[in-house]
Amino acid sequence: MAKNKLAKFADMERFSNVFQCGAREIDDTNEVAQMAGHWRERYFHNDNPIVLELGCGRGEYTVGLARQYPDKNFIGIDIKGARMWAGAKEAELAGMTNVAFLRINIEMLTSFFAQDEVDEIWITFCDPQMKKATKRLTSTYFMARYEQVMREGGLIHLKTDSPFLYTYTREMLRLNDYRVEADTDDLYAQPHYADAKALQTHYEHQWLDRGLTIKYLRWHLDKKTSKQEPTIEIEKDTYRSYGRNYVSTTNN
């Protein structure tokens, strides 16, 4: 397993569609950090919208979106390179020119994108981080970071199996008066939202096979001068208490 990981990391270094940067490497001379504000001209060589997938994991959703929307540029972001390798390799072998991968901690987002450079964000099956709000990718902590790199009114999508994260995010959106375009606690029971149903991640297949419903939210990023963090009590996802392989559908 260790040798396999090392081989993947070596591949990641040579893939032309992968950019990697550690927190200690960020300075004015770092080539990856210098991409901020220049992704279109230096990598994509077009003026198409830029879409991020945060916590992209294996990258299959990033690659799938890039195939589905050739008139948009997609960047999958995650810190785990061994997982990201699969999507990066697939895109590299296919010669896809509208997809890239950025291996960084998502909290460092503002160091790699300029103001208004990003048009859209997808958050797909991220860890709900039930213990600490600031780690949730839909928290006001992260929303403030998205505001620094996204254009006004840009779209954010959340797909999740987690009732906890879905409930938390709905309350965050309500408290801060964000413009919600789509809201369902059972995506595949709806006749709408074809774009959100067109692709399924590895984990999404698992959750559906085990009887869990998929929740989906889509909203506009309206830049706020201040934001309120939800304080309501939310029931924890019981199946996650037993690890990812145990599933209880009692609270779905």
Side-chain angles (χ1 to χ4, degrees):
M1 182 64 74
K3 287 184 179 179
N4 190 35
K5 265 193 174 181
L6 288 174
K8 288 180 177 179
F9 287 141
D11 281 345
M12 294 281 281
E13 289 290 341
R14 67 175 180 80
F15 285 160
S16 63
N17 60 4
V18 173
F19 298 82
Q20 304 183 87
C21 186
R24 295 181 181 179
E25 300 174 288
I26 299 176
D27 58 37
D28 293 339
T29 64
N30 184 274
E31 292 183 4
V32 183
Q34 287 177 356
M35 291 293 289
H38 303 286
W39 284 95
R40 289 181 180 87
E41 62 183 87
R42 294 184 183 176
Y43 179 77
F44 294 112
H45 307 297
N46 61 50
D47 292 324
N48 294 338
I50 289 178
V51 184
L52 309 183
E53 187 198 358
L54 304 182
C56 68
R58 301 180 184 198
E60 74 264 40
Y61 214 87
T62 302
V63 173
L65 286 170
R67 285 199 172 104
Q68 188 173 351
Y69 300 103
D71 56 344
K72 293 183 180 182
N73 302 317
F74 293 87
I75 303 174
I77 299 177
D78 209 313
I79 192 62
K80 296 181 179 178
R83 292 184 185 177
M84 185 186 289
W85 171 88
K89 182 177 182 180
E90 181 180 350
E92 183 90 349
L93 290 175
M96 299 177 70
T97 59
N98 69 325
V99 60
F101 291 90
L102 178 58
R103 188 186 172 208
I104 59 165
N105 189 307
I106 294 171
E107 291 189 41
M108 297 160 55
L109 202 64
T110 56
S111 296
F112 298 92
F113 297 93
Q115 185 176 357
D116 300 329
E117 188 170 18
V118 175
D119 296 272
E120 194 172 344
I121 285 176
W122 282 81
I123 303 168
T124 53
F125 300 94
C126 62
D127 188 325
Q129 299 288 351
M130 292 183 285
K131 292 183 179 180
K132 193 170 182 181
T134 55
K135 290 188 175 183
R136 295 170 203 152
L137 293 185
T138 58
S139 67
T140 57
Y141 176 82
F142 275 99
M143 292 297 288
R145 279 156 176 71
Y146 305 156
E147 286 183 6
Q148 294 181 58
V149 300
M150 284 189 79
R151 65 173 176 81
E152 177 74 20
L155 283 176
I156 300 179
H157 308 254
L158 171 69
K159 285 180 77 174
T160 182
D161 59 288
S162 168
F164 177 89
L165 184 61
Y166 171 69
T167 302
Y168 165 84
T169 305
R170 287 187 81 204
E171 180 64 9
M172 186 280 297
L173 296 173
R174 185 194 68 79
L175 272 178
N176 295 288
D177 198 29
Y178 284 104
R179 291 181 290 149
V180 177
E181 258 191 17
D183 178 357
T184 177
D185 63 357
D186 191 353
L187 176 62
Y188 292 96
Q190 300 295 326
H192 314 296
Y193 316 138
D195 57 337
K197 292 188 283 189
L199 300 169
Q200 292 182 4
T201 68
H202 169 75
Y203 284 122
E204 185 170 1
H205 280 294
Q206 285 189 341
W207 302 135
L208 288 169
D209 288 346
R210 296 172 185 180
L212 293 175
T213 60
I214 305 303
K215 291 80 174 151
Y216 176 63
L217 287 161
R218 181 172 70 229
W219 67 96
H220 291 274
L221 183 89
D222 299 319
K223 300 186 179 183
K224 311 286 184 179
T225 54
S226 63
K227 287 174 279 296
Q228 298 182 64
E229 185 65 24
T231 57
I232 61 170
E233 289 292 324
I234 306 173
E235 183 178 357
K236 299 290 194 297
D237 298 337
T238 55
Y239 67 95
R240 288 178 183 271
S241 300
Y242 296 88
R244 298 185 75 89
N245 293 322
Y246 177 91
V247 172
S248 166
T249 58
T250 55
N251 62 343
N252 282 274

